[in-house]
Amino acid sequence: MGRAGSNASLGSARSNKSSTYRTVARDSYVDDSLFGNKSPSPSKDVKQQPQSPGATAKATKSMYRSALVKAERKPEVVTLTEADLQRMLADAPIMTAEQVSSMRHAAEERKEAERAAAKARKEKMLRLEEEARKQAPPTESQVVRAQADNAMLSRAHQLLEEEKDEVKHMNQMVQYAKCVAVRDKQMQEKMSAMLAEEEEQKRLDLVMEIERLRALEAYQARDVQRREEQARSAAILQEQLTERQRQRLREEEMRDQERMAMARELERLQHEEAAAAAAKKARAAALMEEVAASNAEQIERKKQLEQQEWEEEMRIAEYIRRKDAREQALAAEKEAIAREKEMEVARLRAMQEKQADHQSEQDELRARRYQEAKEREWRAKERAAAERQAAMMADLAAAREAQMRSKLVAQATMAQVEQTEFMRVLTVNQEKEEQQRSQAAAQHQISEAYKRDLLGQIQAHAEAKRAERAAYLEEGKKIRQVQQQEKATLEEIKVRKLQELACSGVPEKYQAELARMRIKSAK
């Protein structure tokens, strides 16, 4: 493993080093056998024979050239440092995977530290360069550009100032003053140059004076109109302040009304809760009365059912009795008819016996047969009536038994229904009581939540009013500051205009109007 480590180290050294030959010193000894050359090195001779500095330099150059030629011929030849040579000659250490990993981590940490140091040096250099650039005096082109920018900004600022109404009015005064000054100069020139036109000039002076007076009147009328507008604005402002005061009073009244409404709402909720409790008691009493009425109705219904059953039994018995009476009357009627027929037959037979004995015998035989048939028929009818009577009695007994069974079943069913109804009413009452308790709790929670929300809204409303008032005062303060700045700016412009008039040679009498002009705060 030591030999393999040495070979690997040698390979890595060969791949990482340059193939050029470097001289460590002029008189150094290099063993060419390390580079694959078995012939004796000429440097030995150089070492044994002292030479002059010039010869030594030439020898060194020749050694450089020979080394370059050898390097070109053999690309695998590399230059090794003393540390690499010692590392190659030393025994290769046997390292575990943890040691290899730790060495790799250490190498990466060294590289990271080197990168961080390089980055810090770069940032420091950039920072120093930036500071030097900031501290360096501006160039001539930069100065010229800054002057041009300042001039342009100043010109733009002046143009913006010239757009204001007060400045325009000042410009009118300045132009008028210049115009009057020019006119005075012209008049003086004309008076000195053309004495012959003095009368005409006086007339022209009078006309121009009239125009000036008209202009002054127009200016005065404009000032009067401006003052009137200012008075109207002041009246409007006063009216706005009065309206704001009235609005504050209305808001105070609204807050009082809201507080009164909240008190009334709380009182109403208390009344509603009391009414709900009374209604609950009334519903409970009504429910108990309803249960008592239902029980009484059930008892009355039982009595009516029993009465109806007894009346039904009486009707059945009356029907059977009437049916028996009808059947007996019918049987008696049939028997009477049969006896009358037999008596008629006997009478006829007696009459016929007188006529013919044979015929009487035949008649007697037929009458006997007829009577026997009638008797058989009557007995059959009696037997059938007895069977019907027995069947009717059996049916009546079965009906009575079935009626008794149905009565017992109905009574048991009624008892079960009553018990079920009682349990249902009891459950409903319990559910209603529980529902009423939950409703009362929910109503209490709703009332509490409404109270909290109402208090929160009142607080939020008060906070909003305070914020609005503070914003209003801050806005007024800013407006006053802006007005003061505007007034100061206009005063500076006025002074500059007066200086321009003075520089232009305008007399002071024509500067008086502009000097008397009062700068008022902008609305």
Side-chain angles (χ1 to χ4, degrees):
M1 290 181 65
R3 182 64 61 184
S6 300
N7 293 333
S9 300
L10 181 59
S12 61
R14 287 180 178 178
S15 61
N16 292 331
K17 299 297 181 179
S18 174
S19 60
T20 58
Y21 181 81
R22 293 177 295 178
T23 303
V24 179
R26 292 179 180 179
D27 57 351
S28 63
Y29 169 73
V30 179
D31 189 2
D32 290 337
S33 63
L34 296 175
F35 303 99
N37 188 5
K38 301 298 183 179
S39 61
S41 175
S43 59
K44 293 180 180 179
D45 300 337
V46 175
K47 183 69 176 178
Q48 292 174 359
Q49 299 177 1
Q51 295 180 359
S52 64
T56 305
K58 291 180 180 179
T60 304
K61 290 181 181 179
S62 62
M63 289 171 64
Y64 273 120
R65 286 195 294 271
S66 61
L68 289 173
V69 170
K70 291 179 181 180
E72 290 178 358
R73 291 178 181 176
K74 297 181 179 180
E76 68 275 5
V77 176
V78 295
T79 301
L80 297 178
T81 62
E82 185 177 358
D84 292 336
L85 182 60
Q86 295 295 331
R87 181 174 57 81
M88 292 168 61
L89 294 176
D91 294 334
I94 300 174
M95 294 184 293
T96 61
E98 289 80 4
Q99 293 175 349
V100 173
S101 177
S102 63
M103 290 179 66
R104 288 178 181 176
H105 285 303
E108 290 178 358
E109 288 177 357
R110 287 194 300 274
K111 290 180 180 179
E112 187 66 26
E114 293 175 357
R115 284 195 293 266
K119 185 177 180 181
R121 286 195 301 273
K122 183 178 179 181
E123 292 178 353
K124 183 177 180 181
M125 292 173 65
L126 292 175
R127 186 170 63 255
L128 293 175
E129 183 179 358
E130 184 66 21
E131 292 177 356
R133 185 167 60 252
K134 288 181 179 179
Q135 295 176 359
T139 61
E140 185 177 356
S141 60
Q142 291 177 351
V143 173
V144 173
R145 190 181 302 109
Q147 292 176 356
D149 293 340
N150 293 330
M152 186 177 295
L153 291 174
S154 178
R155 178 60 179 167
H157 185 64
Q158 290 179 0
L159 291 176
L160 290 175
E161 291 178 349
E162 294 294 332
E163 293 295 327
K164 298 179 180 179
D165 294 338
E166 292 82 357
V167 178
K168 289 181 180 179
H169 186 56
M170 292 180 189
N171 291 332
Q172 289 178 358
M173 293 181 180
V174 169
Q175 293 298 329
Y176 176 75
K178 290 181 179 180
C179 180
V180 174
V182 171
R183 180 183 61 80
D184 290 344
K185 290 181 181 181
Q186 289 176 354
M187 287 182 67
Q188 290 176 1
E189 291 176 358
K190 285 181 181 180
M191 287 176 66
S192 63
M194 295 180 294
L195 297 175
E197 298 179 357
E198 185 177 0
E199 296 295 331
E200 183 68 20
Q201 189 66 38
K202 288 181 181 181
R203 188 183 64 82
L204 293 174
D205 291 340
L206 181 60
V207 171
M208 293 186 71
E209 185 67 20
I210 292 170
E211 291 179 355
R212 187 179 70 82
L213 292 175
R214 288 178 180 175
L216 289 174
E217 290 177 356
Y219 289 143
Q220 291 175 358
R222 189 179 301 169
D223 292 336
V224 171
Q225 183 179 2
R226 187 181 297 108
R227 286 193 292 272
E228 291 176 354
E229 290 179 356
Q230 290 175 356
R232 286 196 296 271
S233 300
I236 292 171
L237 183 60
Q238 185 64 32
E239 184 179 356
Q240 289 178 354
L241 292 174
T242 306
E243 180 64 25
R244 182 63 62 85
Q245 184 66 24
R246 286 198 297 271
Q247 185 177 0
R248 284 197 293 271
L249 292 175
R250 285 196 299 270
E251 289 176 354
E252 290 293 336
E253 291 177 358
M254 288 177 65
R255 284 195 290 272
D256 293 338
Q257 292 176 1
E258 288 178 357
R259 286 193 290 271
M260 293 174 65
M262 184 176 66
R264 287 196 298 272
E265 182 67 17
L266 292 175
E267 185 177 359
R268 185 184 63 79
L269 290 174
Q270 291 176 358
H271 287 310
E272 286 182 357
E273 290 178 357
K280 177 181 177 182
K281 292 180 180 178
R283 286 195 298 273
L287 184 61
M288 294 302 295
E289 291 177 358
E290 184 180 354
V291 171
S294 177
N295 293 335
E297 186 179 355
Q298 293 291 336
I299 294 170
E300 185 65 25
R301 191 180 296 113
K302 287 181 182 179
K303 291 181 180 179
Q304 290 178 1
L305 288 174
E306 292 177 355
Q307 184 66 25
Q308 289 175 3
E309 290 176 357
W310 181 77
E311 290 176 357
E312 184 69 22
E313 290 177 357
M314 294 301 293
R315 284 195 297 271
I316 292 171
E318 183 65 22
Y319 172 76
I320 293 171
R321 186 180 61 78
R322 290 179 181 179
K323 186 176 180 181
D324 293 340
R326 284 196 302 271
E327 290 179 354
Q328 290 176 5
L330 181 61
E333 184 180 359
K334 289 181 178 180
E335 188 176 354
I337 292 171
R339 283 196 299 270
E340 288 178 359
K341 288 183 178 180
E342 288 176 355
M343 291 176 65
E344 183 66 24
V345 169
R347 187 179 63 80
L348 292 173
R349 188 181 299 117
M351 291 175 63
Q352 289 177 358
E353 284 180 357
K354 294 178 181 179
Q355 294 178 2
D357 293 335
H358 181 69
Q359 186 66 32
S360 61
E361 290 177 0
Q362 291 294 327
D363 291 337
E364 184 179 2
L365 180 58
R366 283 197 294 273
R368 190 181 298 115
R369 288 177 180 175
Y370 179 74
Q371 187 175 3
E372 290 176 356
K374 287 292 184 182
E375 289 179 355
R376 286 194 300 272
E377 184 178 357
W378 179 78
R379 285 194 294 270
K381 287 181 179 180
E382 287 293 332
R383 190 167 52 252
E387 290 176 358
R388 283 197 301 274
Q389 184 70 22
M392 187 180 295
M393 294 302 291
D395 293 338
L396 182 59
R400 288 181 178 176
E401 186 178 358
Q403 188 176 6
M404 291 299 293
R405 286 197 300 272
S406 63
K407 183 178 179 181
L408 293 174
V409 171
Q411 290 177 355
T413 305
M414 184 61 67
Q416 186 176 2
V417 169
E418 288 177 356
Q419 185 179 2
T420 304
E421 183 68 18
F422 175 75
M423 295 302 295
R424 185 187 67 79
V425 171
L426 183 60
T427 304
V428 169
N429 290 336
Q430 292 176 355
E431 290 178 355
K432 285 185 177 179
E433 290 178 358
E434 183 65 25
Q435 186 177 4
Q436 289 173 359
R437 285 195 296 271
S438 62
Q439 287 178 356
Q443 185 66 30
H444 181 68
Q445 292 178 0
I446 291 171
S447 300
E448 291 294 330
Y450 177 74
K451 181 179 178 181
R452 289 194 299 271
D453 293 342
L454 191 59
L455 292 175
Q457 290 176 4
I458 291 172
Q459 293 176 0
H461 186 68
E463 290 292 336
K465 286 297 180 182
R466 286 196 292 271
E468 184 179 357
R469 179 63 179 172
Y472 175 74
L473 295 176
E474 185 67 22
E475 184 179 1
K477 183 178 179 181
K478 291 181 180 178
I479 290 172
R480 286 194 297 273
Q481 291 177 358
V482 171
Q483 289 176 354
Q484 292 174 0
Q485 293 176 1
E486 185 71 17
K487 186 175 180 180
T489 303
L490 293 175
E491 290 289 347
E492 292 177 358
I493 295 172
K494 177 182 175 181
V495 172
R496 189 170 67 246
K497 296 291 183 184
L498 291 172
Q499 292 175 358
E500 289 178 1
L501 289 175
C503 294
S504 299
V506 177
E508 293 182 359
K509 62 179 181 179
Y510 298 125
Q511 300 178 14
E513 184 178 3
L514 180 58
R516 288 195 303 271
M517 179 182 178
R518 295 180 60 187
I519 305 299
K520 298 180 181 180
S521 299
K523 298 295 184 292

